[in-house]
Amino acid sequence: MNTDDTITALATPPGIGAINVIRVSGEESLRVVEKFFRGKEKLEKSSSHSIHYGKFVDENGETIDDVLVAVFRKPNSYTGEDSVEISTHGSPLISEKIIGVLIENGIRLAEPGEFTRRAFLNGKMDLAQAEAVADVINARSEASLRGARNQLDGILSGKIEELRQQLIDVSSLIELELDFAEEDLEFVSENETIEKIQSVVNVIEKLLDTFRFGRVIRDGVNVAIVGKPNVGKSSLLNYILKESRAIVSHIPGTTRDVIREEVSIDGILFRLYDTAGIRLTENDVEREGVLRSREAVKNSDLVIFLNDVITGFSIELYNEILQLTDSSRVIKVMNKIDLNRSPDGNGDAQISALTGEGVEKLFKIMKEKTVGINIFSERSAVVTNIRHFVALKKAKEYLLKAVETVKNGMSGEFVAVDLRNAESSLGEIIGTVATDDILNNIFDKFCIGK
Amino acid sequence: MNTDDTITALATPPGIGAINVIRVSGEESLRVVEKFFRGKEKLEKSSSHSIHYGKFVDENGETIDDVLVAVFRKPNSYTGEDSVEISTHGSPLISEKIIGVLIENGIRLAEPGEFTRRAFLNGKMDLAQAEAVADVINARSEASLRGARNQLDGILSGKIEELRQQLIDVSSLIELELDFAEEDLEFVSENETIEKIQSVVNVIEKLLDTFRFGRVIRDGVNVAIVGKPNVGKSSLLNYILKESRAIVSHIPGTTRDVIREEVSIDGILFRLYDTAGIRLTENDVEREGVLRSREAVKNSDLVIFLNDVITGFSIELYNEILQLTDSSRVIKVMNKIDLNRSPDGNGDAQISALTGEGVEKLFKIMKEKTVGINIFSERSAVVTNIRHFVALKKAKEYLLKAVETVKNGMSGEFVAVDLRNAESSLGEIIGTVATDDILNNIFDKFCIGK
């Protein structure tokens, strides 16, 4: 991918609004936009962070729209390059026409995430921060937004950088020792080396632990609601939708057999699947739906297993569920306690989907099963990204290998290699090591215009 | 509606994108945004049209997002008031939170169109221009965009203002005469007065004439395709969709019986309705669909009456159509000329929906029937708005009454009253006369944020 040319894209969400913003970035930004801008001041002479009112005209000099043009001069722009933002009336026709004119004049339509990619390449942010940009934009819940913001602010990057520095320090000492090998000097004892490496491993392990809730906080928690007919699955779903701040109401599933709703409970996104049934039957018509419901249970982070006080706890169905998922993921719930004030003790929560009694407790259990006590209100480093998780695991393995190497009394050279590998695994996270493949993988998931 | 307070709204289209923009306008804009902005420069001390990077924090000082804040100082802003535009990452969660903080601090959520309403009230644009803002944003075709742009640029307003001035000139002379009534001076002859009024009437009539195509250019042209089964209605629709630049493909109608597609032909938006049948039958199942098809024909600006060379021109169906609409709106088309090279001369266009032969000519006829030769490539005043049309008609009536009054030799006082009424009807268009009711009517149709 060429990073020397000038790129453009619509930066605001597609659709009709009061204003749309078109982004242009690269060396030619000012010169090309100037050609079609009719205002009081010359853009090329204007200072960074200034806004100019005028008309944007087409090749024939006909006005396309009144615009506000914002000028950003390198390196003080999002991308670190000369950049222009053109605000137009919020019609897709207008932005298409303006982008069309720009493209006719040597500016290229940006690839997905290319503005942020350039920001990374120009040192405006590290790779974990660049990834956080997409997470901030796509955040669907308070918790995911907070997690992404922390990452964008460099909390995770700072921690990773700290670990890298510690490894570099250990390496330096070992390499120093190698330099003076003939004199047989010892700068650091084997125990000290092991201790230092182990302390990095400990932090990495803590970070790895955060991934379990970091992931669900970022992506949301899949919850399957399973139960016999008439135990109140739909009533429960409706009650939750009413009580929680519904984010996206009622997204029909791929088929009529699984209905999906997204809700935010205490800032965490839960994706609730109302399953039809999970018991395989001879009936061909139902079979398809049952298979899909079983799939939903398998893919769930949590299963709400709903029973009611009338028919009691269904052991058979519970056993079926355990064939599909781990018992630690299942919340056993007894519904309709409004009908019978003394439910048997079976179940983690006793509720009435009708009156709402007990549902708060169910929410609490759902939250605890998801994130433990780790609701992150403070600005702590949390791993939310599988790429970071994998890199951390790799780093940990290299470090454990390094510890073994030291323990086995092998030459410092071998230890140094392990440490370098660990350090470069950590570097992958923040992008000190970044191949085009890694970058493509990351930025392909961005939207165009970011 | 209070116009002294400070208002805010999301200005960019709703949804996820690279950036969103929140608008704030009114006296408190800078002071309140400053409270939650953490940047290098103080906003309240910064100059107009400057941009500032920083963090927008909540009441607890926690970062909501990195933002760019653009400062506009009165009167050099869209509204004419002190204004701020806050660019955030394009997440609805973030804009909701920021707007939430602003509202907690005494800023009010803007009503639909309130920014533009303030722009009008502060003299930044006249009323016809304000209305054009909504038309620009909602333009669905090149032609409608051009029409709206012309109006926003003040082409219509200029013409109206010219006519108003001419009426004011005539009035002045008449009123001068009234002042000197005792001396029996004649400043202007009756014939001259009539001539001057008549010349205004002539221009108004020309403007009224533009409404026929002005309206369809703004709103699009409804075209019903009617024909017996198997004459090729769907084939024609498909061919047109393929050939034209489809704007919105396949919008299902209110029922399965009428299918609607929108296409842009030479910059004009045509809304094509594929009707099922228009002949009432005894069959109850079909009856509903037939009624809907008849309704579509009645509401159409044009009817494409499709026949084919195999079954020939259907006089019975043509007569049915003429019971629903005027013959001037009907285009008689003979299809399938690929099957028979010598179609009878019946029809305005001979086509093959299969090969596309003759369809260009059909397009030409559709265009001519819609806008005549008045495709406006130049910047001429066109009436696209029913409110303007009604006001012009009222003005014309007052002027004709004035002419009668003069002819009847009645006192100048009566003529003056008619002229004042005509002048104030014209004034309604550009808003020299504007009641709250008129304004509410206009701006309620805007989106929030504009």
Side-chain angles (χ1 to χ4, degrees):
Chain A
M1 186 183 293
N2 190 348
T3 55
D4 294 335
D5 52 359
T6 301
I7 54 175
T8 185
L10 182 68
T12 41
I16 292 175
I19 63 172
N20 278 335
V21 178
I22 297 162
R23 254 189 185 160
V24 192
S25 182
E27 266 187 21
E28 295 287 288
S29 314
L30 284 161
R31 195 186 62 76
V32 175
V33 173
E34 183 90 273
K35 265 177 79 177
F36 302 97
F37 178 72
R38 304 285 175 267
K40 270 194 218 159
E41 303 100 4
K42 283 273 163 236
L43 300 180
E44 293 201 77
K45 285 184 184 156
S46 61
S47 55
S48 188
H49 290 65
S50 61
I51 302 174
H52 309 271
Y53 171 80
K55 307 227 176 245
F56 196 100
V57 300
D58 64 16
E59 302 272 5
N60 305 318
E62 262 203 73
T63 302
I64 299 178
D65 200 12
D66 309 290
V67 295
L68 283 176
V69 173
V71 172
F72 302 89
R73 295 198 172 265
K74 73 176 174 185
N76 298 314
S77 70
Y78 182 72
T79 55
E81 309 170 330
D82 278 350
S83 298
V84 169
E85 283 181 13
I86 307 170
S87 294
T88 70
H89 284 101
S91 146
L93 266 184
I94 291 171
S95 35
E96 270 172 34
K97 284 182 96 161
I98 291 181
I99 289 173
V101 168
L102 296 175
I103 285 173
E104 281 295 307
N105 284 273
I107 292 182
R108 173 169 63 77
L109 198 64
E111 301 285 325
E114 196 171 357
F115 293 93
T116 307
R117 186 179 186 140
R118 290 183 173 202
F120 163 68
L121 292 173
N122 293 323
K124 302 292 289 186
M125 52 179 82
D126 69 39
L127 201 51
Q129 288 176 307
E131 286 171 296
V133 168
D135 290 347
V136 163
I137 286 173
N138 294 314
R140 301 288 293 280
S141 68
E142 287 280 327
S144 60
L145 178 59
R146 189 193 298 269
R149 278 290 340 163
N150 278 358
Q151 190 175 321
L152 183 55
D153 287 345
I155 308 279
L156 177 68
S157 303
K159 194 57 135 185
I160 298 293
E161 190 50 40
E162 204 180 300
L163 297 177
R164 271 188 70 231
Q165 278 312 325
Q166 289 174 19
L167 293 183
I168 289 169
D169 287 350
V170 180
S171 296
S172 308
L173 285 175
I174 291 174
E175 276 159 25
L176 199 62
E177 234 168 56
L178 288 172
D179 285 347
F180 293 87
E182 289 163 22
E183 282 138 84
D184 203 24
L185 287 169
E186 198 189 62
F187 291 88
V188 58
S189 77
E190 285 185 4
N191 277 344
E192 263 178 276
T193 304
I194 290 176
E195 234 168 68
K196 281 181 173 169
I197 297 176
Q198 192 57 51
S199 91
V200 172
V201 169
N202 292 346
V203 177
I204 289 181
E205 276 175 343
K206 271 190 196 134
L207 283 174
L208 287 170
D209 275 349
T210 66
F211 183 62
R212 198 178 91 82
F213 73 93
R215 186 189 64 79
V216 294
I217 270 179
R218 174 174 178 246
D219 301 334
V221 188
N222 291 324
V223 185
I225 304 179
V226 181
K228 286 184 168 174
N230 298 322
V231 293
K233 297 194 292 294
S234 303
S235 311
L236 176 60
L237 196 61
N238 288 334
Y239 185 84
I240 294 177
L241 282 175
K242 194 160 56 71
E243 280 308 295
S244 70
R245 240 182 81 210
I247 291 190
V248 178
S249 64
H250 195 86
I251 299 174
T254 43
T255 76
R256 71 200 144 78
D257 304 308
V258 180
I259 289 175
R260 191 184 112 176
E261 311 264 6
E262 290 187 343
V263 298
S264 169
I265 299 173
D266 279 356
I268 299 169
L269 182 74
F270 288 90
R271 216 171 280 113
L272 306 176
Y273 295 84
D274 184 1
T275 63
I278 61 163
R279 309 191 76 170
L280 281 174
T281 59
E282 297 291 303
N283 187 333
D284 255 351
V285 183
E286 282 178 26
R287 195 183 163 81
E288 187 70 7
V290 168
L291 287 176
R292 266 192 211 97
S293 293
R294 293 173 72 93
E295 207 54 43
V297 172
K298 273 190 203 165
N299 294 331
S300 288
D301 302 299
L302 287 181
V303 174
I304 294 179
F305 173 39
L306 201 62
N307 300 272
D308 72 15
V309 295
I310 301 166
T311 51
F313 185 81
S314 167
I315 290 284
E316 317 90 272
L317 191 50
Y318 184 61
N319 288 333
E320 296 250 9
I321 292 171
L322 293 191
Q323 282 167 28
L324 301 169
T325 190
D326 189 82
S327 68
S328 69
R329 293 178 185 272
V330 183
I331 306 174
K332 288 172 282 184
V333 180
M334 191 58 79
N335 188 18
K336 304 189 188 172
I337 54 168
D338 48 299
L339 296 181
N340 177 352
R341 304 296 307 173
S342 51
D344 60 14
N346 243 326
D348 305 303
Q350 283 78 38
I351 66 162
S352 164
L354 195 68
T355 67
E357 198 180 340
V359 176
E360 270 306 316
K361 182 165 179 221
L362 173 59
F363 286 175
K364 207 170 147 241
I365 297 173
M366 287 166 69
K367 238 170 66 185
E368 278 173 7
K369 287 240 180 207
T370 308
V371 296
I373 49 165
N374 290 306
I375 304 294
F376 53 123
S377 55
E378 359 83 78
R379 294 167 73 74
S380 50
V382 173
V383 180
T384 63
N385 189 313
I386 182 104
R387 191 182 75 81
H388 304 169
F389 180 76
V390 169
L392 281 167
K393 262 184 103 166
K394 242 180 10 185
K396 178 185 160 189
E397 277 158 27
Y398 283 124
L399 292 178
L400 293 180
K401 202 162 147 244
V403 169
E404 280 311 297
T405 312
V406 177
K407 279 187 181 161
N408 293 340
M410 288 171 76
S411 156
E413 281 170 48
F414 295 102
V415 183
V417 168
D418 291 334
L419 291 181
R420 250 197 313 276
N421 281 335
E423 184 253 302
S424 107
S425 292
L426 293 180
E428 273 179 28
I429 295 174
I430 53 177
T432 52
V433 182
T435 65
D436 267 358
D437 275 355
I438 291 179
L439 295 186
N440 289 343
N441 242 319
I442 289 171
F443 291 106
D444 282 358
K445 285 167 205 145
F446 274 61
C447 62
I448 288 180
K450 189 67 235 177
Chain B
M1 186 184 292
N2 191 349
T3 56
D4 294 334
D5 52 0
T6 301
I7 54 174
T8 186
L10 182 69
T12 42
I16 291 176
I19 63 172
N20 278 335
V21 178
I22 297 162
R23 252 187 187 162
V24 192
S25 183
E27 268 188 20
E28 296 288 288
S29 313
L30 284 161
R31 194 186 63 77
V32 175
V33 173
E34 184 91 273
K35 265 177 79 177
F36 302 96
F37 178 71
R38 302 285 174 271
K40 269 194 219 158
E41 304 102 4
K42 284 271 161 240
L43 301 180
E44 293 200 76
K45 286 185 182 153
S46 62
S47 54
S48 189
H49 289 64
S50 62
I51 302 174
H52 309 271
Y53 171 79
K55 307 227 176 247
F56 196 99
V57 300
D58 64 15
E59 302 273 5
N60 305 318
E62 262 203 75
T63 302
I64 299 178
D65 200 11
D66 308 290
V67 295
L68 284 176
V69 173
V71 171
F72 302 91
R73 293 198 172 266
K74 73 176 175 188
N76 298 314
S77 71
Y78 182 73
T79 55
E81 308 169 331
D82 278 349
S83 298
V84 169
E85 283 179 14
I86 307 169
S87 294
T88 70
H89 285 98
S91 146
L93 265 185
I94 291 171
S95 34
E96 270 172 34
K97 284 181 95 161
I98 291 181
I99 289 173
V101 168
L102 296 176
I103 285 174
E104 282 294 309
N105 285 272
I107 293 181
R108 174 168 63 77
L109 198 65
E111 301 285 325
E114 196 171 357
F115 294 94
T116 307
R117 185 178 185 141
R118 289 183 175 203
F120 163 68
L121 292 175
N122 293 324
K124 302 292 287 187
M125 52 178 81
D126 68 39
L127 201 52
Q129 288 176 308
E131 286 172 298
V133 168
D135 290 348
V136 163
I137 287 173
N138 294 314
R140 301 286 294 280
S141 68
E142 287 280 327
S144 60
L145 179 58
R146 189 193 297 271
R149 279 287 342 162
N150 278 358
Q151 191 175 318
L152 183 56
D153 287 346
I155 308 280
L156 177 68
S157 304
K159 194 55 131 188
I160 299 294
E161 191 49 39
E162 206 180 300
L163 296 178
R164 271 189 70 230
Q165 279 311 324
Q166 289 173 22
L167 292 183
I168 289 169
D169 288 350
V170 180
S171 296
S172 308
L173 285 174
I174 291 174
E175 276 159 22
L176 200 61
E177 237 171 55
L178 289 173
D179 286 348
F180 291 89
E182 288 162 21
E183 281 136 82
D184 205 21
L185 287 169
E186 199 187 61
F187 290 88
V188 60
S189 77
E190 283 185 4
N191 276 345
E192 264 179 277
T193 303
I194 289 174
E195 234 168 66
K196 281 181 173 170
I197 296 174
Q198 192 58 50
S199 91
V200 172
V201 169
N202 292 346
V203 177
I204 288 180
E205 276 175 345
K206 272 190 196 136
L207 284 174
L208 287 169
D209 274 349
T210 67
F211 183 61
R212 198 176 93 82
F213 74 92
R215 186 190 64 80
V216 295
I217 270 178
R218 174 174 178 248
D219 300 335
V221 188
N222 291 325
V223 185
I225 304 179
V226 182
K228 286 183 170 177
N230 298 320
V231 293
K233 297 192 293 294
S234 300
S235 310
L236 176 60
L237 196 61
N238 288 333
Y239 185 85
I240 293 178
L241 281 177
K242 194 161 55 71
E243 281 308 295
S244 70
R245 238 183 84 210
I247 291 191
V248 177
S249 64
H250 195 84
I251 298 176
T254 42
T255 75
R256 75 205 141 73
D257 305 307
V258 180
I259 290 175
R260 191 184 112 173
E261 309 264 6
E262 290 187 346
V263 299
S264 168
I265 298 174
D266 280 359
I268 299 170
L269 181 74
F270 288 90
R271 216 170 281 114
L272 306 175
Y273 295 84
D274 184 2
T275 62
I278 61 163
R279 308 192 75 170
L280 281 174
T281 59
E282 296 293 303
N283 187 332
D284 254 351
V285 182
E286 282 178 25
R287 195 181 163 82
E288 187 69 8
V290 168
L291 287 177
R292 270 197 205 92
S293 294
R294 293 172 72 93
E295 206 53 42
V297 172
K298 274 190 202 164
N299 294 331
S300 288
D301 301 298
L302 286 181
V303 175
I304 294 180
F305 173 38
L306 201 63
N307 301 271
D308 72 15
V309 295
I310 301 165
T311 50
F313 185 82
S314 169
I315 290 285
E316 316 90 274
L317 192 51
Y318 185 61
N319 288 334
E320 297 250 7
I321 292 171
L322 293 191
Q323 282 168 28
L324 300 169
T325 190
D326 188 81
S327 68
S328 70
R329 294 178 185 272
V330 184
I331 306 175
K332 288 171 281 186
V333 181
M334 190 57 79
N335 188 20
K336 303 189 188 172
I337 56 170
D338 50 300
L339 296 181
N340 177 354
R341 302 300 305 171
S342 51
D344 60 12
N346 242 327
D348 305 302
Q350 283 76 38
I351 66 163
S352 164
L354 195 68
T355 68
E357 198 181 337
V359 176
E360 270 306 316
K361 182 162 179 227
L362 173 59
F363 285 174
K364 208 170 144 243
I365 297 172
M366 285 165 69
K367 237 170 66 185
E368 278 173 9
K369 287 241 180 206
T370 308
V371 296
I373 49 165
N374 290 305
I375 302 293
F376 53 121
S377 55
E378 359 83 77
R379 294 168 72 72
S380 51
V382 172
V383 179
T384 63
N385 189 314
I386 182 101
R387 190 181 76 82
H388 303 170
F389 181 76
V390 169
L392 280 167
K393 263 184 99 164
K394 236 172 28 181
K396 180 185 158 188
E397 277 158 27
Y398 283 123
L399 292 178
L400 293 180
K401 198 160 153 250
V403 170
E404 280 310 297
T405 313
V406 177
K407 278 188 183 160
N408 292 341
M410 285 170 77
S411 156
E413 280 171 50
F414 296 102
V415 183
V417 167
D418 290 335
L419 291 181
R420 248 197 313 276
N421 282 334
E423 184 254 301
S424 108
S425 292
L426 293 180
E428 273 179 28
I429 296 174
I430 52 178
T432 52
V433 182
T435 64
D436 267 357
D437 275 354
I438 292 179
L439 296 186
N440 290 342
N441 242 320
I442 289 171
F443 291 106
D444 282 356
K445 287 167 204 144
F446 274 60
C447 63
I448 288 180
K450 190 68 235 180

